[in-house]
Amino acid sequence: MTDPQLTYASADGVQGRAGGGWGVLHRTPDLLPDQERRLVAGVSVSLPATVSAFPDSRELADRPVRFRHRLEDGLSVFWRSVEAGKDHTSRPGNVFTHAAIVQRPAGTRPVDYYWAESWLSPFGAEQVRTATPAATLQLPAGSGFASVAAWFHEKRDTHGPALAWMIDGLMTWLESGVVIRVRSSRDAAGWIGLASWMLTEAGASSRTFTTYEDGRSAEEILGLRMHVMAITDDQLAQELSRRNCYLLDDSWQPQRSAAGWQLPSELVAPRTLWSTMANDLLWMDPEFAFEVLRVRDQLADIGHGSRAGVVAQTRLALRMAMLTTPGAVVVDRERAIDEVLAMVSEQDLAHPRVRQLITERDGSALRPQSVAPDSCGALVSPV
């Protein structure tokens, strides 16, 4: 199976084009005219200048990546844009966009494709002119949650302190739309990836996101009501905060209180069990964590009779997968089981994995009242 793709930038000398300038440079043979129009509508023609006049290979590899996703007709649509140096007229500020429509394999999340090795990242007029897409976008071996875990542990001294409140905030405000201010587009992909893997495959597939926007493009993205928009500019973050956007900045050091995380933006992010589960998964062997998440997706229907809503159903399935997958280590296991059983509806009591937990707790389906649904349907951790 091939993935319909195109490349877009300012160039000349491309076979089949009458002249130079901005436009489609190369397209895969399977790209239909309607698909091309949809992809062209999402390309970028400007990015903040971050690359020096004579960049080395490291600087080029570290270029910020604007990576956008949305779901259309059951397919993931991606736009990946990078700075491309001077165009064919020696004018600086060229931007190269590689866009694709992908039927993702089962068990993946859209943000996994941020790490795909088939994306083109040319720099300079000649490379831009000749860069041609492969037939398919290949995910690297061991990608998915393993890529997210690797990102986290690369700089866990930085990411670790922010984990609890970043994930609590992201998962609480995801449906309303969240702006995250981060140090790099790679960090944006990491946080978005972690939030995506907290959701079921179906839930994550429908989420829209972008890893790197600037003052010029942010207004357009806000109008599209994306679920997550990442920025790196502090001044833009302050402006968006004044506009009452849900804003998270992974460099903050918020105070924890009975109400939740007291953010510098004056918002309060509720303390939830999302971050507890994220921490548990990140410290598991990545292959084992992926198995837990696979089981969780199979349990997605558990809790549909619950009063706590869709978000809590997702959390319930993940918690149950962690508790019933052999080899999982869960802190305060008995309390965790009691919390899960408190959430299970009467119609789910006969489910084999529910029965497994009831049996472990001496055969009685305990219904403790230690947790309660918050306004977003997530379960708030006891203070």
Side-chain angles (χ1 to χ4, degrees), residues 6-10 22-23 38-48 64-68 78-84 93-99 210-214 216-218 220-221:
L6 61 76
T7 62
Y8 190 100
S10 176
W22 291 100
R38 288 156 59 191
L39 291 181
V40 169
V43 303
S44 295
V45 294
S46 68
L47 284 172
V65 174
R66 176 174 291 169
F67 189 72
R68 295 170 172 172
F78 298 110
W79 293 266
R80 184 182 185 275
S81 303
V82 293
E83 294 175 74
N94 202 4
V95 177
F96 182 89
T97 298
H98 184 176
T210 174
T211 62
Y212 177 56
E213 301 297 331
D214 59 80
R216 182 180 300 182
S217 63
E220 174 190 354
I221 296 300

Side-chain angles (χ1 to χ4, degrees), residues 51-267:
V51 179
S52 65
F54 302 100
D56 58 20
S57 58
R58 174 61 65 86
E59 187 177 359
L60 291 178
D62 289 343
R63 277 175 289 177
V65 174
R66 176 174 291 169
F67 189 72
R68 295 170 172 172
H69 168 264
R70 70 169 179 252
L71 193 71
E72 295 185 0
D73 301 324
L75 301 174
S76 280
V77 185
F78 298 110
W79 293 266
R80 184 182 185 275
S81 303
V82 293
E83 294 175 74
K86 296 180 180 179
D87 70 4
H88 58 292
T89 67
S90 295
R91 179 178 54 192
N94 202 4
V95 177
F96 182 89
T97 298
H98 184 176
I101 300 173
V102 179
Q103 177 69 62
R104 300 187 345 267
T108 62
R109 303 294 187 269
V111 73
D112 296 349
Y113 278 81
Y114 178 91
W115 317 99
E117 298 172 340
S118 305
W119 293 113
L120 299 170
S121 302
F123 190 83
E126 180 61 18
Q127 288 188 13
V128 166
R129 183 180 66 82
T130 58
T132 305
T136 59
L137 291 171
Q138 296 291 333
L139 290 173
S143 62
F145 185 78
S147 294
V148 174
W151 159 81
F152 178 82
H153 289 292
E154 281 173 6
K155 296 182 179 179
R156 60 174 173 261
D157 290 343
T158 300
H159 302 143
L163 174 64
W165 57 269
M166 280 292 289
I167 291 302
D168 285 344
L170 271 169
M171 301 307 293
T172 297
W173 297 321
L174 190 61
E175 290 303 316
S176 300
V178 187
V179 178
I180 57 174
R181 193 263 181 179
V182 291
R183 296 167 178 82
S184 68
S185 56
R186 180 180 173 85
D187 284 350
W191 291 120
I192 294 168
L194 189 51
S196 295
W197 280 99
M198 292 296 98
L199 299 171
T200 63
E201 181 179 349
S205 295
S206 63
R207 297 311 192 269
T208 56
F209 62 80
T210 174
T211 62
Y212 177 56
E213 301 297 331
D214 59 80
R216 182 180 300 182
S217 63
E219 202 67 38
E220 174 190 354
I221 296 300
L222 288 173
L224 295 176
R225 297 185 62 83
M226 281 198 166
H227 291 101
V228 185
M229 177 177 75
I231 60 175
T232 59
D233 183 78
D234 184 59
Q235 184 175 350
L236 177 58
Q238 294 178 31
E239 177 186 339
L240 294 176
S241 179
R242 289 192 293 269
R243 292 169 59 176
N244 296 320
C245 294
Y246 287 117
L247 175 69
L248 298 168
D249 184 328
D250 67 359
S251 68
W252 285 343
Q253 297 179 347
Q255 298 297 311
R256 189 171 74 170
S257 71
W261 301 102
Q262 302 286 339
L263 305 179
S265 62
E266 299 185 1
L267 291 172

Side-chain angles (χ1 to χ4, degrees), residues 198-354:
M198 292 296 98
L199 299 171
T200 63
E201 181 179 349
S205 295
S206 63
R207 297 311 192 269
T208 56
F209 62 80
T210 174
T211 62
Y212 177 56
E213 301 297 331
D214 59 80
R216 182 180 300 182
S217 63
E219 202 67 38
E220 174 190 354
I221 296 300
L222 288 173
L224 295 176
R225 297 185 62 83
M226 281 198 166
H227 291 101
V228 185
M229 177 177 75
I231 60 175
T232 59
D233 183 78
D234 184 59
Q235 184 175 350
L236 177 58
Q238 294 178 31
E239 177 186 339
L240 294 176
S241 179
R242 289 192 293 269
R243 292 169 59 176
N244 296 320
C245 294
Y246 287 117
L247 175 69
L248 298 168
D249 184 328
D250 67 359
S251 68
W252 285 343
Q253 297 179 347
Q255 298 297 311
R256 189 171 74 170
S257 71
W261 301 102
Q262 302 286 339
L263 305 179
S265 62
E266 299 185 1
L267 291 172
V268 178
R271 292 169 56 201
T272 77
L273 291 176
W274 286 115
S275 55
T276 302
M277 292 183 292
N279 186 70
D280 289 344
L281 288 164
L282 286 167
W283 287 97
M284 292 180 187
D285 176 85
E287 291 186 8
F288 183 79
F290 180 79
E291 175 62 16
V292 168
L293 291 164
R294 187 189 66 81
V295 172
R296 186 277 311 273
D297 282 2
Q298 295 175 350
L299 296 171
D301 289 339
I302 284 274
H304 279 199
S306 167
R307 63 190 173 87
V310 174
V311 176
Q313 293 159 15
T314 302
R315 190 205 66 84
L316 173 62
L318 177 56
R319 199 64 167 162
M320 186 170 292
M322 294 178 71
L323 289 166
T324 59
T325 300
V329 177
V330 178
V331 176
D332 201 356
R333 182 176 178 86
E334 289 188 356
R335 179 179 177 179
I337 292 174
D338 290 348
E339 289 173 346
V340 165
L341 294 178
M343 283 286 296
V344 173
S345 65
E346 296 292 336
Q347 69 191 47
D348 290 323
L349 289 177
H351 191 283
R353 289 184 183 259
V354 177

Side-chain angles (χ1 to χ4, degrees), residues 12-23:
D12 71 348
V14 178
Q15 186 175 2
R17 291 186 65 196
W22 291 100

